[in-house]
Amino acid sequence: MKKYIFLSFLLLIGIHFSCSKAELDRINTDPSKSTEENFDPNYLLSNSQLRFANKGYYQLLYPSTMVQLLASTYYYYNNGDKYINVANFTDYQGRIFDEGYAEASGIREMQRIAKEKDPKANINLLAIGDMMFVLILQRITDMYGDCPYHEAGQGRLGIKYPVYDIQEDIYDSMLNDLEQAIKQLNPDLPKPTADLFYKGDLTKWRKFGYSLMLRLAMRLTKVDPLKARLWAEKAAAGGTFIDISDNAFITMDASNYNSQNGISLALRTLSDYREVRWSKTLIDQLKKTNDPRLAAIAEVPAAGFANNNNQNLAGNTNPELQQGLPNGYDLSGGKTDIHLAPDYPGGTGNDNDFAALGKYSRPRTSVYLKLGGPIFIMTCAETEFLLAEAALRGWAVNGTAAAHYHKGLRTALQASGQMDPQANIPDVAIETFISTQQLDESTKEKALETINTQYWISTGTMFNFIEAWLNWKRSGYPLLQPINYPGNVTNGTIPRRMIYLSTEVLNNPEHYKAAVARLAGGDALTSRVWWDK
């Protein structure tokens, strides 16, 4: 791995760490005049939080379409939609690895400065730093497999070539580190002052820690169910998210390019706006259950090519009109052209104003394409669905599987309003929907499918595509039909991991090669990480 060192915090303070205008206004120190004595390590926390959350194309080009939440006919989306390696966009497979270690290094630098300044006064900042480190490394290891953990972010100590830890050992360390960090939170000591998740609210951070612990525990359900149970029960006893006020998200700042919502910015690119749609898999699922989220999240563009491109023109949100774009098609005019797809509805407009995808549903512009819109990290709905699964397995997590499942549904629908008031779903509609969605526990597999399909819907409609893909890998649900597009590089199977950062073979060859040797199938999209059985 390249040497992930912040050359100095003087450089980092020049980065816009915050996603709110108020927070940005606080950062008014001339970076050329900053010194270690007057630099506030809190700003390195917000910087890492912002960079972790704001992934833009790194979520869109692969996870969003691989797991069939979005679909696209545009060529660089072929990477995830059709498992095709297109031009230099394959480099995006390693970007979470690259950026993740920059974020982790920022956390370790923050902790170094905080300890040097006042280790006791900064206890809470240090503990939250450990939680953030686990959050960052969890995403990296779940996407790639074995990776540096114990030697990550230690460039200042002279560690140029960090060892790739075995994922099983990484999970043991993450769970233990997380538990210790939660225990260190102390309401009698100063709170973080530049925290973008919870504004220093330690009660919410405690619930966040236990909710993250639950996520980690449930990753182990197939590879180590005894350990999964131990940690899931510990998380439930500690206290996970209670309602949507606990949801972890960052509200971005539309007025500053560095703090704009990266996914919204990407989807405003003309080609993306015209050719990225909700998938047929998702829309069909929502329509099958009369899910009230459908009208909140989807719209059919006004007729014609020009209107399809007009980002100021709202579409039609009538649920009956919504239709998802099937994955695996293009606009090339050949055998895989969308006009040959089963049930192709035809386009809209005519002649030079023809929109081939004009009748397919896109993410609702006013809800999802706000440059100042929120980015969700983890929600109460996710936690409740995981608790529902844990209860279904007979684990002691306080409550029945059905009760947790229904609370997951309720909080998932309530969270739509956190994206934008226009997406708010009335309480009456929520309760009516929940009353029709009974958890079928006649077989364990039926219940698991129902729970994890809702997890997929919840994370997908909140644009948390990476987590949707990771939980799909773990659970196997929903049951997705892979795409076998000509020239695909996975033999027609949905990718199970991302490929390591390309420069690792040059910068850290010994440890990289050792990690690849432990992967059945090598450094490939079809190889599986340790817990993915």
Side-chain angles (χ1 to χ4, degrees):
M1 179 185 302
K2 66 178 68 171
K3 194 174 182 181
Y4 288 109
I5 302 174
F6 286 115
L7 297 178
S8 76
F9 52 87
L10 307 181
L11 173 62
L12 283 174
I13 197 169
I15 300 173
H16 294 283
F17 330 104
S18 178
C19 59
S20 70
K21 199 165 185 63
E23 188 63 45
L24 284 170
D25 290 341
R26 293 181 57 194
I27 304 170
N28 56 11
T29 303
D30 181 353
S32 66
K33 303 294 177 59
S34 295
T35 66
E36 188 156 326
E37 288 70 28
N38 65 27
F39 182 76
D40 186 350
N42 279 277
Y43 294 141
L44 292 180
L45 170 64
S46 55
N47 180 44
S48 290
Q49 289 176 324
L50 177 59
R51 294 183 63 173
F52 174 83
N54 205 17
K55 286 295 172 265
Y57 273 123
Y58 309 153
Q59 285 213 62
L60 285 172
L61 293 193
Y62 286 94
S64 72
T65 50
M66 288 190 314
V67 78
Q68 297 179 18
L69 288 158
L70 297 180
S72 181
T73 53
Y74 198 65
Y75 85 101
Y76 53 69
Y77 281 91
N78 285 346
N79 295 55
D81 189 84
K82 305 167 184 67
Y83 331 139
I84 301 290
N85 284 336
V86 175
N88 64 339
F89 293 103
T90 56
D91 181 55
Y92 280 46
Q93 295 171 13
R95 293 293 182 87
I96 297 297
F97 192 93
D98 186 23
E99 292 212 346
Y101 280 107
E103 296 151 14
S105 293
I107 292 297
R108 290 304 189 224
E109 179 70 356
M110 175 202 78
Q111 292 176 314
R112 182 191 70 82
I113 297 172
K115 287 177 182 177
E116 289 183 358
K117 283 181 172 292
D118 192 334
K120 182 176 180 180
N122 288 315
I123 283 287
N124 290 316
L125 182 60
L126 294 168
I128 289 172
D130 283 340
M131 291 189 206
M132 282 299 305
F133 189 85
V134 171
L135 181 69
I136 294 164
L137 268 293
Q138 171 254 307
R139 177 186 279 178
I140 295 173
T141 190
D142 286 354
M143 291 189 77
Y144 300 96
D146 296 355
C147 62
Y149 184 85
H150 295 100
E151 293 184 353
Q154 302 296 327
R156 277 186 173 273
L157 301 180
I159 299 176
K160 299 179 181 179
Y161 313 110
V163 171
Y164 280 54
D165 295 292
I166 297 171
Q167 190 177 46
E168 182 175 6
D169 295 339
I170 294 172
Y171 259 78
D172 286 341
S173 295
M174 288 194 299
L175 287 163
N176 284 304
D177 290 351
L178 193 55
E179 182 177 36
Q180 290 305 310
I182 296 169
K183 290 179 179 178
Q184 289 168 3
L185 293 174
N186 189 336
D188 295 326
L189 293 174
K191 302 173 183 178
T193 59
D195 167 25
L196 302 182
F197 288 6
Y198 294 123
K199 296 182 174 60
D201 188 327
L202 300 184
T203 298
K204 291 190 181 299
W205 269 108
R206 187 178 303 277
K207 286 186 281 188
F208 178 90
Y210 282 119
S211 297
L212 180 57
M213 182 185 292
L214 177 65
R215 177 195 282 180
L216 295 174
M218 297 304 287
R219 290 283 200 266
L220 309 180
T221 49
K222 292 181 178 177
V223 71
D224 195 338
L226 292 179
K227 186 178 293 182
R229 176 174 186 166
L230 170 68
W231 285 98
E233 291 181 346
K234 188 177 293 190
T240 55
F241 288 163
I242 296 175
D243 54 39
I244 65 169
S245 70
D246 295 324
N247 288 352
F249 63 91
I250 297 177
T251 301
M252 307 302 285
D253 179 13
S255 68
N256 188 300
Y257 179 81
N258 292 310
S259 299
Q260 290 175 346
N261 186 309
I263 291 183
S264 300
L265 187 64
L267 290 179
R268 283 188 176 274
T269 303
L270 189 58
S271 55
D272 300 52
Y273 190 71
R274 186 171 59 241
E275 296 187 43
V276 174
R277 296 290 186 262
W278 287 119
S279 76
K280 173 178 171 59
T281 311
L282 176 67
I283 297 298
D284 284 358
Q285 176 64 35
L286 295 177
K287 294 185 81 169
K288 182 173 70 174
T289 59
N290 293 315
D291 194 313
R293 279 173 288 194
L294 185 55
I297 68 164
E299 65 182 10
V300 176
F305 186 79
N307 286 335
N308 267 244
N309 293 336
N310 187 348
Q311 298 177 13
N312 296 315
L313 185 61
N316 193 326
T317 61
N318 184 342
E320 295 181 2
L321 299 179
Q322 306 308 317
Q323 182 166 348
L325 174 68
N327 294 88
Y329 290 91
D330 53 42
L331 289 171
S332 65
K335 293 181 179 180
T336 52
D337 192 279
I338 189 61
H339 80 278
L340 297 177
D343 301 321
Y344 174 60
T348 60
N350 51 63
D351 299 329
N352 293 329
D353 191 43
F354 180 72
L357 305 182
K359 292 183 181 177
Y360 289 116
S361 302
R362 68 189 178 200
R364 192 174 172 186
T365 304
S366 60
V367 171
Y368 289 101
L369 269 65
K370 300 182 302 180
L371 297 181
I375 297 177
F376 286 80
I377 312 300
M378 190 161 56
T379 67
C380 183
E382 296 170 40
T383 300
E384 286 298 319
F385 290 134
L386 293 178
L387 289 171
E389 180 176 333
L392 182 69
R393 294 175 182 275
W395 301 350
V397 293
N398 302 318
T400 66
H404 284 297
Y405 173 68
H406 285 140
K407 186 174 180 181
L409 284 177
R410 182 175 292 105
T411 54
L413 270 63
Q414 290 172 339
S416 290
Q418 290 181 317
M419 292 190 294
D420 187 271
Q422 295 179 78
N424 184 66
I425 301 171
D427 291 341
V428 172
I430 292 175
E431 296 308 319
T432 299
F433 175 67
I434 290 173
S435 69
T436 68
Q437 303 301 305
Q438 300 306 309
L439 181 62
D440 184 354
E441 298 183 58
S442 60
T443 69
K444 182 179 178 181
E445 286 306 314
K446 282 184 179 179
L448 286 173
E449 180 176 8
T450 301
I451 292 166
N452 285 287
T453 296
Q454 286 297 331
Y455 193 103
W456 170 78
I457 294 171
S458 177
T459 48
T461 56
M462 304 302 282
F463 271 17
N464 191 351
F465 300 120
I466 293 176
E467 179 57 24
W469 173 54
L470 295 176
N471 192 69
W472 170 81
K473 291 198 304 176
R474 178 194 71 86
S475 69
Y477 296 115
L479 298 173
L480 301 176
Q481 183 63 44
I483 303 303
N484 197 5
Y485 188 86
N488 77 82
V489 297
T490 66
N491 197 28
T493 61
I494 299 173
R496 308 296 296 199
R497 63 179 290 275
M498 292 287 99
I499 293 173
Y500 287 121
L501 185 67
S502 58
T503 54
E504 284 297 275
V505 68
L506 299 174
N507 293 338
N508 195 5
E510 179 183 351
H511 298 311
Y512 163 78
K513 290 177 182 177
V516 171
R518 294 192 291 266
L519 278 168
D523 191 10
L525 294 171
T526 50
S527 298
R528 297 189 179 216
V529 302
W530 165 69
W531 54 256
D532 183 14
K533 303 298 182 183

